[in-house]
Amino acid sequence: MSLHGHKTVAATVSGSVSRFLIVRLATVDMALPSGLVRSILPLGDVDGGEVTLVDESYPVTDLAGRLGLPHVMKSTQARLILCSMGGRRGAFPVDSVAGLVDVQRSQVVPLARQFRGQERQWFQGLFPFEETGALVVNVDWVVKGADRPSPARVEQSAAAVAPSRPQDKPRVIDVGGIQLEEATDAENAPWAAI
């Protein structure tokens, strides 16, 4: 599959625009800079190991597992994304591919201050996408093959993202047009469900 067809998220294209490939892991939309994506393959029978494409090897990483999300199930929608950055290469399965989007760079905002844990290594920012938002994946972290976070680290990150506060209404934070609601039960929720 090639990177053809895309939509523009921004209202105008006169400014500085970045193109992202939107993929879905579980219920989370994630954005990969399209220039780092080398190929998109059907997931098929890939079970770890490596994939070779045009005489280059791509180690397969379980990105969903590293992020504490449910593992990607083989389906007609599941794909294997091959990326490279510098001399490093990596591949990881995703549940589905939404396509390419052009986004004004001004719409990509850094993670909010309450994101203080491991997620700062995982993601470079976020931008409005469809009815929620897309997290910009740190491809350098993906292809480096960092260790999978332990459940304790994921819980700590979730607590750092949305600390519990004793109040009747959750606090709502506006991040670049995306309304984030502070979770009151963050200690018991995986980070992606927040």
Side-chain angles (χ1 to χ4, degrees), residues 25 28 30 62-70 118-119 121-123 135 137 141-142 147-149 154 190-192:
L25 282 172
V28 181
M30 298 190 188
D62 179 11
L63 181 60
R66 288 176 59 199
L67 294 171
L69 296 169
Q118 292 289 324
E119 61 277 351
Q121 293 177 17
W122 306 337
F123 306 112
L135 292 163
V137 175
W141 175 78
V142 172
D147 294 330
R148 181 181 184 270
V154 172
W191 72 271

Side-chain angles (χ1 to χ4, degrees), residues 43 83 87 108 111 128:
L43 187 55
C83 295
V108 180
L111 294 178

Side-chain angles (χ1 to χ4, degrees), residues 3-4 6-8 14 29 39 45 54 70 85 103 110 115 117 132 141 149 151 157 159 171:
L3 301 180
H4 295 292
H6 65 281
K7 52 187 167 181
T8 300
S14 61
D29 289 321
S39 189
D45 294 325
V54 192
M85 184 172 201
V103 179
F115 292 91
T132 58
W141 175 78
S157 294
R171 187 169 64 128

Side-chain angles (χ1 to χ4, degrees), residues 6-20 22 100-108 127-130 176:
H6 65 281
K7 52 187 167 181
T8 300
V9 173
T12 65
V13 292
S14 61
S16 199
V17 175
S18 295
R19 181 169 286 172
F20 294 97
I22 305 294
L100 291 171
V101 294
D102 289 338
V103 179
Q104 292 287 333
R105 287 190 182 146
S106 62
Q107 288 186 292
V108 180
F127 60 86
F129 178 71
E130 294 183 347

Side-chain angles (χ1 to χ4, degrees), residues 112-169:
R113 288 185 318 229
Q114 72 262 30
F115 292 91
R116 295 185 296 249
Q118 292 289 324
E119 61 277 351
R120 288 248 174 232
Q121 293 177 17
W122 306 337
F123 306 112
Q124 296 177 319
L126 62 117
F127 60 86
F129 178 71
E130 294 183 347
E131 295 177 15
T132 58
L135 292 163
V136 179
V137 175
N138 180 354
V139 176
D140 186 48
W141 175 78
V142 172
V143 298
K144 273 185 182 174
D147 294 330
R148 181 181 184 270
S150 68
R153 285 195 349 225
V154 172
E155 282 184 32
Q156 289 168 355
S157 294
V161 170
S164 181
R165 293 158 68 99
Q167 57 188 37
D168 294 334
K169 261 182 154 175

